[in-house]
Amino acid sequence: MPYLKQIAAHTNCQAIQRYLEKRNRALAKDFFNLSVDERDGYGDEDKDIRWADEMDATRRAFGNDTPFGAMRARTYKHFIISPDPEDGIDLEALRELAKAWALEHFADFQVAIIYHDDNASRIPHAHIVVNNTNLETGKRMHHDDPKELNRSLQKMAKERELLFFYEVPEPAEGLERLAVKERGREARPKTMQQVHIGRVERELAEAGSYSWVADIRNRVSVAKSLARNVDEFAQLLRMLGVDIAGNSRNARRDDWVFSLSDAPARRVSGERLGLLFSKETIQRQLARAGSYHPDAKSSRELLRNARNAILVNNLEDLSDLSRALRVCAYHNVSTLRDCDARLAVLQRRTKTSAGRQRNALEARIAELEFARDYMATRNLLPGRIETRRAESAQSRIDTRPAQHERNSIEEQAEQARRIERHQRTATERNER
């Protein structure tokens, strides 16, 4: 369950900004109702602002710096959202949760959210600073029921399939105690890892052998990165040779089951592939307006490369493509210029970091450099985007190729499948 800590402050915001941003340790920043607002589509490179000055000026303008009767003025509140280590939450998921929670309670206040991972386990957590002044009414912040802030956070955690806390007293013993203990953990995912690689799959990878589970994961990864809705996701999967179906009604959790079109017996549920591939996660990603998507031209090229890799059985290249897409989505980079800007930020942070934090930053840099090089050498990302205008319907991915192209692709796919079946049969015969 996410833990919420609340701290009331009685000073200006200068010290808290210095503390949260010292030594470039902020992983990311999000702002609302300041000179930079997350809802306006700013990138992380544009978020170097003096938000403390803005909050202090707002309080002075409304006269909310002065004592309230005999009580010292509460100038701002500092909230800390710390995810449960068992959830394995990443920065992107934490940002989505923190922003949703902040907007639910403080949509009319100035809000600065700074993300750190400076704890021993390197688990990202969010520092949320809320100025004391309601911009609509000019009145000071007040909560009739402060506990409601935590209750709503636990509700949001439950909606996102994270561990959550029920605010009920725990019975001392017996079956009732067991029931209450399980209530907040019912229908847990099969794994809490973002990408789950099982023992058999790992052994096959170490031996350089084919893993159909990894093959399905890579194809699903490409499809969910390019799709804008569930229907398009299903169409893209079919183009990549993957069938999708619902799981059993008797299953404890609602999920999708993916299988290879030419080998229906090879099937695996989304959650077995990792939390990123569960039905709930993918549906939430597709429904979110700010989800990562390459532009239309890049999407078409990425899809073409993925299909070609499948047709010629180049599963190593498909794996690299899938990995590069996941890295781009994690860092929310849609152009080579975005990659360079994000790399520059990470490299600056390594100069003031040490130990495990430095190692983690260097690992992220290596992953992002791999993704950038992969995309650049294959012309899969533009250098930059000149305008941010919404793409027209005609510019989206064409999931319905021309008839002659479909026939050609299907013939090549069938030939590749025949060759693969022949090789598999010969291998099994030799082993016997």
Side-chain angles (χ1 to χ4, degrees):
M1 65 182 180
Y3 174 72
L4 179 67
K5 183 177 181 180
Q6 307 182 39
I7 305 169
H10 304 278
T11 64
N12 62 34
C13 295
Q14 304 300 317
I16 188 65
Q17 179 170 6
R18 286 196 299 271
Y19 167 74
L20 293 177
E21 298 184 3
K22 67 181 180 181
R23 296 194 297 274
N24 294 320
R25 61 179 177 151
L27 299 176
K29 308 173 189 177
D30 292 313
F31 302 112
F32 297 109
N33 297 316
L34 292 158
S35 58
V36 169
D37 192 300
E38 181 67 20
R39 291 164 291 191
D40 295 333
Y42 284 90
D44 283 346
E45 67 274 11
D46 302 317
K47 295 182 180 178
D48 189 16
I49 64 170
R50 288 298 307 169
W51 50 269
D53 292 345
E54 296 183 38
M55 289 187 178
D56 292 344
T58 297
R59 286 197 313 279
R60 286 194 298 269
F62 283 93
N64 289 337
D65 264 348
T66 58
F68 188 73
M71 301 174 61
R72 296 168 61 195
R74 183 178 61 193
T75 50
Y76 65 88
K77 290 202 74 172
H78 176 193
F79 302 92
I80 304 173
I81 294 179
S82 302
D84 192 305
E86 290 187 34
D87 280 326
I89 194 170
D90 61 14
L91 179 60
E92 180 187 5
L94 175 62
R95 290 178 78 169
E96 189 275 330
L97 173 63
K99 289 186 289 186
W101 181 84
L103 284 176
E104 177 167 321
H105 297 285
F106 305 107
D108 295 329
F109 294 79
Q110 291 174 315
V111 179
I113 311 177
I114 312 299
Y115 303 89
H116 291 168
D117 64 351
D118 52 359
N119 46 45
S121 302
R122 317 305 307 172
I123 300 171
H125 52 279
H127 295 265
I128 304 174
V129 179
V130 183
N131 204 14
N132 80 343
T133 300
N134 187 306
L135 299 176
E136 291 294 320
T137 65
K139 296 181 179 180
R140 304 180 196 227
M141 180 194 307
H142 173 72
H143 302 295
D144 292 326
D145 182 8
K147 290 184 178 180
E148 174 58 27
L149 298 174
N150 184 56
R151 281 195 290 268
S152 75
L153 178 62
Q154 302 308 320
K155 177 182 176 183
M156 289 182 174
K158 179 181 179 182
E159 292 170 350
R160 289 157 176 77
E161 303 292 350
L162 304 173
L163 291 174
F164 60 95
F165 173 72
Y166 269 103
E167 193 177 41
V168 293
E170 183 175 349
E173 59 184 13
L175 294 176
E176 187 182 356
R177 177 180 181 182
L178 178 61
V180 171
K181 182 177 180 181
E182 291 298 321
R183 198 177 299 150
R185 294 175 173 265
E186 60 186 358
R188 283 282 307 278
K190 294 180 175 64
T191 175
M192 303 306 293
Q193 295 176 307
Q194 299 293 303
V195 178
H196 174 66
I197 299 177
R199 178 183 58 81
V200 175
E201 181 184 346
R202 189 179 303 110
E203 290 174 353
L204 288 171
E206 291 171 354
S209 301
Y210 170 75
S211 165
W212 59 267
V213 174
D215 190 4
I216 290 177
R217 183 189 295 108
N218 291 331
R219 301 188 197 197
V220 174
S221 186
V222 172
K224 78 184 188 72
S225 297
L226 303 183
R228 265 75 171 181
N229 53 59
V230 172
D231 288 340
E232 195 168 281
F233 175 60
Q235 291 177 36
L236 287 165
L237 283 176
R238 285 195 292 271
M239 295 177 70
L240 296 173
V242 175
D243 293 332
I244 178 173
N247 62 351
S248 169
R249 286 186 176 183
N250 297 324
R252 294 183 64 211
R253 289 174 55 83
D254 184 27
D255 199 10
W256 280 322
V257 175
F258 304 105
S259 60
L260 293 174
S261 301
D262 60 341
R266 292 181 169 181
R267 56 202 304 268
V268 62
S269 68
E271 287 187 352
R272 288 289 185 187
L273 300 174
L275 279 182
L276 288 177
F277 306 92
S278 70
K279 179 179 180 179
E280 176 68 21
T281 301
I282 294 174
Q283 285 183 326
R284 190 165 63 241
Q285 174 188 325
L286 295 176
R288 195 165 57 232
S291 293
Y292 171 83
H293 292 296
D295 65 16
K297 181 180 178 182
S298 297
S299 295
R300 288 191 292 270
E301 287 300 308
L302 288 162
L303 178 59
R304 185 178 65 82
N305 275 258
R307 295 174 72 186
N308 287 343
I310 293 168
L311 287 174
V312 300
N313 209 28
N314 188 353
L315 301 183
E316 183 177 354
D317 189 56
L318 180 65
S319 176
D320 288 344
L321 173 59
S322 168
R323 173 186 167 194
L325 270 172
R326 285 200 298 270
V327 173
C328 289
Y330 178 82
H331 292 283
N332 196 26
V333 292
S334 300
T335 67
L336 299 179
R337 184 181 182 183
D338 291 343
C339 291
D340 292 335
R342 185 60 180 155
L343 281 168
V345 171
L346 293 174
Q347 287 162 349
R348 284 199 302 271
R349 288 179 55 207
T350 60
K351 296 178 181 178
T352 56
S353 304
R356 293 177 63 181
Q357 184 178 19
R358 185 183 181 90
N359 293 339
L361 285 171
E362 289 175 345
R364 289 181 193 168
I365 289 171
E367 282 288 286
L368 190 52
E369 286 177 338
F370 161 79
R372 190 206 183 285
D373 292 344
Y374 182 91
M375 296 296 194
T377 55
R378 291 160 177 79
N379 263 340
L380 297 178
L381 284 185
R384 57 182 293 176
I385 296 178
E386 298 295 339
T387 63
R388 296 284 181 180
R389 291 177 299 182
E391 297 170 353
S392 65
Q394 290 81 6
S395 67
R396 290 194 172 187
I397 309 171
D398 184 4
T399 57
R400 299 171 299 171
Q403 183 64 44
H404 70 277
E405 181 186 353
R406 288 203 301 272
N407 291 340
S408 175
I409 290 170
E410 290 168 1
E411 290 171 2
Q412 295 177 56
E414 180 58 32
Q415 182 180 2
R417 287 193 290 268
R418 283 199 300 270
I419 294 172
E420 182 182 352
R421 284 195 296 269
H422 175 74
Q423 291 174 339
R424 193 181 305 126
T425 302
T427 301
E428 291 173 353
R429 188 183 302 116
N430 291 336
E431 289 175 351
R432 289 197 295 268

